[in-house]
Amino acid sequence: DQQVKQNSPSLSVQEGRISILNCDYTNSMFDYFLWYKKYPAEGPTFLISISSIKDKNEDGRFTVFLNKSAKHLSLHIVPSQPGDSAVYFCAASAGNQFYFGTGTSLTVIP
Amino acid sequence: DAGVTQSPTHLIKTRGQQVTLRCSPKSGHDTVSWYQQALGQGPQFIFQYYEEEERQRGNFPDRFSGHQFPNYSSELNVNALLLGDSALYLCASSLGSGVEFFGPGTRLTVL
């Protein structure tokens, strides 16, 4: 039972444009959400998080939006850079356990 | 400041064998979680250790067990290996229930 879903396995974006990665969840008890970035042969690296009491959190080029009524979150990267090319995982928790999506592979084309 | 480290990097075992994977958490972290990541999938939570006790467990059989030592390092043991246990095993550490920081993983291949 996949409680966190990333329905787009891959995404390609031109350098300088906006990248939007989407994530849906089913468990209304989730209260903390995170995005991780993963390069090949490395473990996931924490990118940005958001608590369920907020609907937006920004950190430089990265912004996460949370729509609790739709059980949907998204990660916006503006402007996209070739170094952003990686697999992005969203994760959610309701306590001590994190649930991960299956990832979206982002390719930023120079 | 050393991040999360894991050993070994790669491991090849045969069906029925047992394996032990090791993890040292990031400095200052007291909680260690283990994940299994199959090819093309996201990390799946195995269990979490805090204060040397298993605090939370995911949907994995009893063949998967672990341990946390007083210095917060941790081991993951898998008995009676199956072909389906082949995966990348990730260790993550955190301070309490905070953001988890991941190690590079151990790639386990079961033949």
Side-chain angles (χ1 to χ4, degrees):
Chain A
D1 179 27
Q2 193 75 19
Q3 298 191 48
V4 177
K5 298 177 185 178
Q6 294 176 257
N7 294 317
S8 298
S10 63
L11 175 68
S12 291
V13 171
Q14 286 290 135
E15 180 179 3
R17 305 295 291 269
I18 184 172
S19 295
I20 300 176
L21 296 95
N22 294 303
C23 179
D24 297 296
Y25 61 95
T26 58
N27 189 341
S28 58
M29 298 301 291
F30 287 149
D31 59 4
Y32 190 53
F33 304 87
L34 309 90
W35 285 94
Y36 284 85
K37 178 169 72 173
K38 187 180 186 301
Y39 294 117
E42 295 183 12
T45 302
F46 170 72
L47 202 54
I48 191 168
S49 65
I50 188 167
S51 163
S52 60
I53 63 173
K54 293 186 174 183
D55 54 19
K56 177 182 174 181
N57 188 28
E58 270 183 274
D59 184 2
R61 297 185 298 113
F62 303 92
T63 303
V64 56
F65 294 92
L66 176 62
N67 182 334
K68 289 185 288 294
S69 60
K71 294 191 179 69
H72 177 85
L73 68 155
S74 61
L75 174 68
H76 293 209
I77 306 173
V78 182
S80 299
Q81 300 174 353
D84 296 329
S85 297
V87 177
Y88 289 78
F89 293 98
C90 66
S93 77
N96 299 322
Q97 182 172 344
F98 286 93
Y99 296 82
F100 282 77
T102 52
T104 296
S105 179
L106 172 66
T107 301
V108 180
I109 303 164
Chain B
D1 174 27
V4 180
T5 60
Q6 292 185 244
S7 63
T9 306
H10 296 88
L11 205 51
I12 299 175
K13 292 286 188 177
T14 57
R15 278 180 300 176
Q17 285 190 310
Q18 178 263 344
V19 69
T20 297
L21 311 182
R22 295 176 175 82
C23 172
S24 290
K26 183 178 168 63
S27 177
H29 285 183
D30 58 6
T31 302
V32 173
S33 299
W34 286 92
Y35 291 83
Q36 180 194 68
Q37 186 179 12
L39 203 59
Q41 300 297 314
Q44 297 289 316
F45 177 79
I46 302 175
F47 43 54
Q48 183 182 84
Y49 277 83
Y50 173 71
E51 291 188 342
E52 301 179 51
E53 298 281 337
E54 183 183 290
R55 177 160 71 174
Q56 188 100 12
R57 187 176 184 93
N59 189 26
F60 278 80
D62 291 345
R63 298 187 297 109
F64 290 77
S65 63
H67 188 78
Q68 186 179 35
F69 299 94
N71 67 353
Y72 306 117
S73 67
S74 176
E75 288 182 351
L76 164 66
N77 301 292
V78 187
N79 294 323
L81 285 167
L82 303 174
L83 295 179
D85 295 331
S86 295
L88 179 69
Y89 287 84
L90 293 163
C91 169
S93 74
S94 62
L95 184 60
S97 300
V99 173
E100 293 189 321
F101 290 80
F102 284 83
T106 293
R107 173 71 62 188
L108 173 64
T109 302
V110 182
L111 303 176

